[in-house]
Amino acid sequence: MIPVRRCWVGGCVLLPAVVIGMGCRDTEPPPAHNHDLGSDGEPLMPTASVWHDPDIAKGQADWHPFREPEAVPEPTTGETTTDTAPAGEGRIETEIRELIDEYNELVAETTIDDLDDLLDYYMEEQHDALRPWLGAAVSLPDKFGRIREALEEKLPAEKERIVAAFTMLQDPAGRKLVVESITVVGDQEATASLPAGSPISTYRFVVVDEEWYIEMPEIQKLAALKPVLDLALATYDGWLQGLESGQASPQQILQQVEVAAAAAQAAQEAMGSEEDSATDTATEPGIGDESRETDKEPGGG
């Protein structure tokens, strides 16, 4: 019985010693992963370690500032927005009104010797028809001004009457282009309507060789207006000769100017009322439909 007890005691003493011995032995650490994480037979390589500037430990490392982020420009399509570029119709109307202003500034200073400067604004095929009318038109203001100055000098007490009469006769030839509204037809064409009472009711503006030109669709009306201008020139010449020679009294000339001014104003009002009447007739509902209605028999068909 004693030998058996010794063996059991010895075994109990030997087992802890073996376990302690195994715990103190150096062994390889277990792998981080128990299988390859690569694919298609290619092993997954370990990531690189984070780089640190070795001079940081010495306090000498340089600070590298971050790059300022830049806004990425939006792709452009080559088209300007409506906020920065005017609409096509607005641009064309602006160009035409600038042409009209330029023409009116020139016509106010033009004499018979500068007639070709005005003709350059019109279509070339209309120059021959326009030349006589423009010649008479630019001759009138000179005579117009000389008569007014002579009357104001000889009749200083009648200045109000003189101003009123010549205001009604202002620009009797309609030399300036007075436009009421502009309608853009296309990139190279536009039309303009004139105020009521004008001898011409419309202008046309066209582009030739990238330049705007004036065209008179009713140029035949200017041919009819030419005798009226010739009569006005002859009348003004007679007034001037009477004032300068003393054959006519200033009071008589002033009365004649007032009569001519009243006639001119009445003619303009008549032209305006005729245009308004024509417009009202054309737009009045039912006009022109009665004959078609009366031709129909009751019941239709």
Side-chain angles (χ1 to χ4, degrees), residues 175-240:
R175 296 171 302 131
K176 292 186 177 182
L177 302 184
V178 181
V179 171
E180 193 169 66
S181 63
I182 294 175
T183 302
V184 177
V185 180
D187 292 340
Q188 298 185 343
E189 181 182 355
T191 59
S193 61
L194 278 65
S198 302
I200 301 295
S201 63
T202 183
Y203 291 126
R204 183 169 175 259
F205 298 86
V206 294
V207 173
V208 178
D209 296 332
E210 300 182 358
E211 294 288 341
W212 285 102
Y213 288 87
I214 307 169
E215 184 181 53
M216 293 284 194
E218 303 169 337
I219 196 169
Q220 70 280 0
K221 290 186 177 181
L222 295 183
L225 187 62
K226 178 61 166 56
V228 178
L229 294 179
D230 291 339
L231 178 61
L233 282 172
T235 302
Y236 288 1
D237 285 335
W239 290 345
L240 270 176

Side-chain angles (χ1 to χ4, degrees), residues 10-281:
C12 292
V13 174
L14 181 61
L15 182 59
V18 173
V19 174
I20 293 173
M22 291 179 61
C24 295
R25 187 187 307 168
D26 292 335
T27 60
E28 293 294 332
H33 303 284
N34 59 1
H35 63 279
D36 184 12
L37 297 180
S39 61
D40 298 334
E42 296 181 0
L44 182 65
M45 301 301 295
T47 59
S49 60
V50 179
W51 180 86
H52 297 283
D53 192 339
D55 289 336
I56 292 179
K58 302 176 184 179
Q60 298 176 350
D62 295 331
W63 170 258
H64 296 280
F66 289 102
R67 175 180 59 84
E68 291 289 338
E70 298 179 359
V72 179
E74 297 182 359
T76 58
T77 58
E79 298 180 356
T80 57
T81 61
T82 56
D83 294 336
T84 57
E89 292 187 2
R91 174 183 57 81
I92 292 174
E93 182 173 350
T94 299
E95 292 177 357
I96 291 175
R97 291 196 178 277
E98 290 175 352
L99 173 70
I100 293 173
D101 292 341
E102 182 180 315
Y103 177 89
N104 288 339
E105 290 178 3
L106 179 63
V107 77
E109 304 171 355
T110 299
T111 64
I112 193 65
D113 297 328
D114 306 323
L115 200 58
D116 288 340
D117 294 339
L118 286 182
L119 288 172
D120 288 341
Y121 284 82
Y122 293 89
M123 298 290 290
E124 186 175 0
E125 55 267 24
Q126 293 188 330
H127 284 190
D128 292 340
L130 287 170
R131 187 179 295 275
W133 173 75
L134 284 176
V138 299
S139 299
L140 282 174
D142 176 61
K143 301 181 186 297
F144 197 69
R146 289 168 60 187
I147 295 170
R148 178 171 178 172
E149 290 177 0
L151 287 175
E152 290 179 349
E153 180 182 353
K154 296 179 181 298
L155 299 173
E158 302 290 352
K159 187 173 183 179
E160 291 185 2
R161 287 178 59 193
I162 296 171
V163 170
F166 279 86
T167 298
M168 289 189 289
L169 281 176
Q170 187 69 30
D171 197 11
R175 296 171 302 131
K176 292 186 177 182
L177 302 184
V178 181
V179 171
E180 193 169 66
S181 63
I182 294 175
T183 302
V184 177
V185 180
D187 292 340
Q188 298 185 343
E189 181 182 355
T191 59
S193 61
L194 278 65
S198 302
I200 301 295
S201 63
T202 183
Y203 291 126
R204 183 169 175 259
F205 298 86
V206 294
V207 173
V208 178
D209 296 332
E210 300 182 358
E211 294 288 341
W212 285 102
Y213 288 87
I214 307 169
E215 184 181 53
M216 293 284 194
E218 303 169 337
I219 196 169
Q220 70 280 0
K221 290 186 177 181
L222 295 183
L225 187 62
K226 178 61 166 56
V228 178
L229 294 179
D230 291 339
L231 178 61
L233 282 172
T235 302
Y236 288 1
D237 285 335
W239 290 345
L240 270 176
Q241 292 176 5
L243 288 172
E244 292 173 354
S245 64
Q247 294 179 355
S249 68
Q251 281 289 353
Q252 290 177 336
I253 299 299
L254 178 56
Q255 290 175 0
Q256 294 178 16
V257 171
E258 290 175 332
V259 171
Q265 187 177 30
Q268 290 184 353
E269 292 175 354
M271 291 178 64
S273 62
E274 287 178 3
E275 292 181 1
D276 293 340
S277 176
T279 302
D280 294 340
T281 302

